[in-house]
Amino acid sequence: MEQLQNYIQGALSDPLGGAWMPVHEPATGAVYARLPDSTPADVDAAAKAAREAFPAWAAMPAEERARHLLRIADSIEEQRDDLAAAESRDNGKPLQLATSVDIPRAAKNFRFFATAILHASSEAHATDTEAINYTLRQPIGVAGCISPWNLPLYLFTWKIAPALAAGNTVVAKPSEITPMTAFRLSQICIDAGLPPGVLNIVHGRGAEVGAAITAHPDIPAISFTGGTQTGAQIARTAAPMFKKLSLELGGKNPTLVFADCDFDAMLDTVVRSAFSNQGEICLCGSRIFIERPLYETFRDAFVDRVRALRVGDPLDEGTAQGAVVSEEHMQKVLGYVALAREEGGRVLCGGERVRPEGRCADGWFISPAVIEDLPFQCRTNQEEIFGPVATLLPFDGEEDVLAMANSTPYGLAASVWTQDITRAHRVAAHLQTGIVWINCWMLRDLRTPFGGMKQSGVGREGGWEALRFFTEARNICVKL
Ligand code: TXE
């Protein structure tokens, strides 16, 4: 059985306390590896290594730092197939998805920020003829990066790459539920010659390792993606320590389908936006609002398409829906389907545990569920389920749909389907979400600000926003 290790001070090491935890394969339910059950002492060692590595890394010319990061990007690309297989096994997602989305994006994250830093500039402000001010953007020190299980290497590198590119050193913690590709990344960094201590990866539980990173006095910036409750807990610790905080939290994203949309293009994408990665993407559109004249046509076509999504072994090429990430998460999602029934919902398809034949019989699979007849204020339509469950709601006009779409405590993303460009802009301006896609979904340009409003988070990632987060802006005023 494979045994994962921490990556501290440039080397792989066992946890100081000598304790381990199991890693499961969601598609079979079996334990297939062990990961360090690290303690605050491991975080201390990682923070010390990162602190010591900081001055040299921060002082290194940007071009040289970029070369290190580009070498890591190259290795991820070279090892794409192995990494994708590891990701699929660890998370349950279809291998095809890991190969085409997760791993290429991880390489792209490094490439994007490695080159972005070469084009970074800062502002100057002339105070009439009296003085000139210029802004220095300097790395903060040691950055803490904590990431979730749904897009493991993709989101882990989305934080680490800008932090390192900006000249910080990093103590990072992947989710204990999906630690495998982060572990592989440590070996890649060693092989690529990343200086010791620049990146440190500590595995273990959120309440132990994550909490120790958040509270560590030598880690002045925390970038977190995960559940809203966890985000609140992190903020409670970090705020009184005046740490910089970036929180990317949950979502309950609305999809708005107007009757004048391009139906075929819309249908393809709306199926994908609801059920991609088993619905385990914070951007998934799980509440689908359909303009009343189109409601029945949409519902029937949508349910047909969802019924056709093949649930099964993530390794099979034809699989559209792999396993959900854990037994606990499967029970949570099934619990929401039961709740939807109690709340008066009609389940049009799916929402059952599936036991595929063969090696996956004990895996954690759920058939994708489509539910109608639920009021927009009920719990099923207000709480983040984060699984293969979508609800359908009819609407009458823009005001009606905006009131329902904006009714949740979340505000991450929305998508709008209409051919009326004026309406598209008008509706986009009134949606309370950090991201709006018009006639598309998850079309990502890494330069754009990424993040949510309300309980979906604080701060923005992506492009300059990320580089700004991972630097301290200092103004120097020179009297002329
Ligand atoms: O996330 P957690 P979980 C949502 C989704 C899901 C729910 C819970 O609804 O069902 O959150 O998922 C670390 N201090 N999302 O429990 O716990 C943890 O080890 C510091 C939405 O898996 O938030 C992991 O590395 N860190 C989401 C990371 O935080 C702590 C993605 C995320 O785990 C910690 C994932 C603590 N006290 C879940 N406790 C999205 N929107 O992208 C845990 N962690």
Side-chain angles (χ1 to χ4, degrees):
M1 185 171 298
E2 191 170 358
Q3 188 147 297
L4 280 56
Q5 290 178 294
N6 290 330
Y7 170 51
I8 296 174
Q9 181 63 10
L12 296 175
S13 55
D14 289 348
L16 294 168
W20 304 85
M21 330 166 35
V23 186
H24 293 87
E25 177 175 1
T28 63
V31 174
Y32 79 101
R34 300 201 305 167
L35 87 152
D37 188 358
S38 306
T39 60
D42 298 287
V43 174
D44 257 343
K48 180 168 181 289
R51 206 178 56 229
E52 287 170 3
F54 174 68
W57 181 253
M60 187 182 279
E63 237 179 279
E64 214 177 306
R65 271 203 316 267
R67 268 200 296 275
H68 278 289
L69 302 184
L70 291 172
R71 271 200 296 276
I72 296 172
D74 289 343
S75 304
I76 294 174
E77 269 161 11
E78 283 156 21
Q79 298 180 34
R80 185 196 68 173
D81 292 349
D82 286 349
L83 288 166
E87 200 72 295
S88 167
R89 184 174 197 193
D90 212 27
N91 169 276
K93 67 179 68 211
L95 176 59
Q96 195 274 335
L97 188 69
T99 309
S100 60
V101 176
D102 291 73
I103 306 305
R105 174 61 189 276
K108 206 169 162 187
N109 288 340
F110 275 107
R111 211 174 282 294
F112 176 82
F113 285 108
T115 50
I117 200 71
L118 302 178
H119 303 270
S121 57
S122 60
E123 310 83 42
H125 300 89
T127 313
D128 302 320
T129 53
E130 195 188 356
I132 181 102
N133 294 271
Y134 60 89
T135 308
L136 283 181
R137 291 206 167 266
Q138 295 175 317
I140 302 165
V142 182
C145 299
I146 303 174
S147 62
W149 46 258
N150 56 327
L151 300 166
L153 193 62
Y154 173 136
L155 289 176
F156 195 57
T157 54
W158 180 235
K159 299 182 177 305
I160 289 170
L164 294 179
N168 303 281
T169 53
V170 169
V171 175
K173 190 198 102 58
S175 170
E176 62 273 37
I177 304 174
T178 54
M180 188 55 83
T181 47
F183 172 62
R184 296 281 160 87
L185 180 68
S186 1
Q187 193 58 55
I188 286 173
C189 292
I190 293 170
D191 295 343
L194 189 70
V198 167
L199 171 63
N200 304 273
I201 300 175
V202 186
H203 293 277
R205 295 167 210 270
E208 276 282 300
V209 175
I213 292 174
T214 309
H216 204 288
D218 294 336
I219 304 181
I222 303 289
S223 173
F224 168 81
T225 298
T228 293
Q229 294 312 320
T230 316
Q233 204 165 333
I234 287 175
R236 273 196 292 277
T237 305
M241 297 177 81
F242 306 108
K243 295 191 177 204
K244 275 190 112 173
L245 255 187
S246 166
L247 302 174
E248 294 303 331
L249 311 174
K252 187 74 179 173
N253 309 305
T255 300
L256 282 59
V257 179
F258 285 90
D260 69 348
C261 68
D262 172 342
F263 191 82
D264 294 336
M266 175 277 299
L267 193 63
D268 280 346
T269 307
V270 172
V271 171
R272 207 163 50 82
S273 74
F275 296 109
S276 226
N277 206 45
Q278 300 75 242
E280 296 167 335
I281 303 181
C282 53
L283 305 167
C284 276
S286 55
R287 294 181 296 148
I288 307 173
F289 297 95
I290 305 111
E291 206 171 9
R292 204 174 293 276
L294 191 67
Y295 185 81
E296 266 118 42
T297 311
F298 174 91
R299 178 191 62 199
D300 298 347
F302 186 72
V303 169
D304 276 353
R305 293 290 288 272
V306 174
R307 278 210 178 100
L309 295 173
R310 210 161 91 203
V311 183
D313 193 335
L315 300 179
D316 290 349
E317 237 172 71
T319 293
Q321 294 282 289
V324 298
V325 78
S326 66
E327 183 164 23
E328 188 189 347
H329 193 56
M330 177 181 72
Q331 297 304 350
K332 173 186 156 181
V333 175
L334 293 174
Y336 270 106
V337 176
L339 173 70
R341 285 201 169 91
E342 280 168 33
E343 290 181 323
R346 198 154 75 90
V347 180
L348 300 169
C349 67
E352 312 272 347
R353 180 171 187 179
V354 175
R355 289 185 178 274
E357 279 182 18
R359 77 171 196 110
C360 294
D362 293 327
W364 303 314
F365 295 86
I366 300 175
S367 49
V370 181
I371 306 174
E372 68 170 358
D373 284 349
L374 283 169
F376 75 92
Q377 317 92 322
C378 71
R379 283 183 55 205
T380 310
N381 272 328
Q382 292 288 319
E383 297 176 13
E384 186 183 42
I385 300 175
F386 215 62
V389 179
T391 58
L392 308 185
L393 300 99
F395 71 86
D396 301 293
E398 283 172 36
E399 251 179 59
D400 184 35
V401 73
L402 282 168
M404 292 193 283
N406 290 335
S407 67
T408 76
Y410 294 106
L412 187 51
S415 59
V416 180
W417 293 87
T418 176
Q419 300 277 55
D420 178 342
I421 188 158
T422 312
R423 169 158 63 201
H425 289 297
R426 194 168 51 230
V427 170
H430 287 98
L431 280 163
Q432 293 165 2
T433 59
I435 301 156
V436 179
W437 279 293
I438 295 173
N439 296 327
C440 60
W441 175 73
M442 217 170 153
L443 201 166
R444 294 279 294 119
D445 180 325
L446 303 192
R447 295 171 300 177
T448 59
F450 178 89
M453 297 164 63
K454 303 197 279 188
Q455 291 186 22
S456 288
V458 175
R460 293 292 179 270
E461 298 185 307
W464 301 132
E465 298 281 347
L467 293 176
R468 271 196 277 272
F469 174 75
F470 285 114
T471 51
E472 195 76 75
R474 302 181 49 230
N475 187 63
I476 315 294
C477 176
V478 184
K479 183 156 174 23
L480 298 176

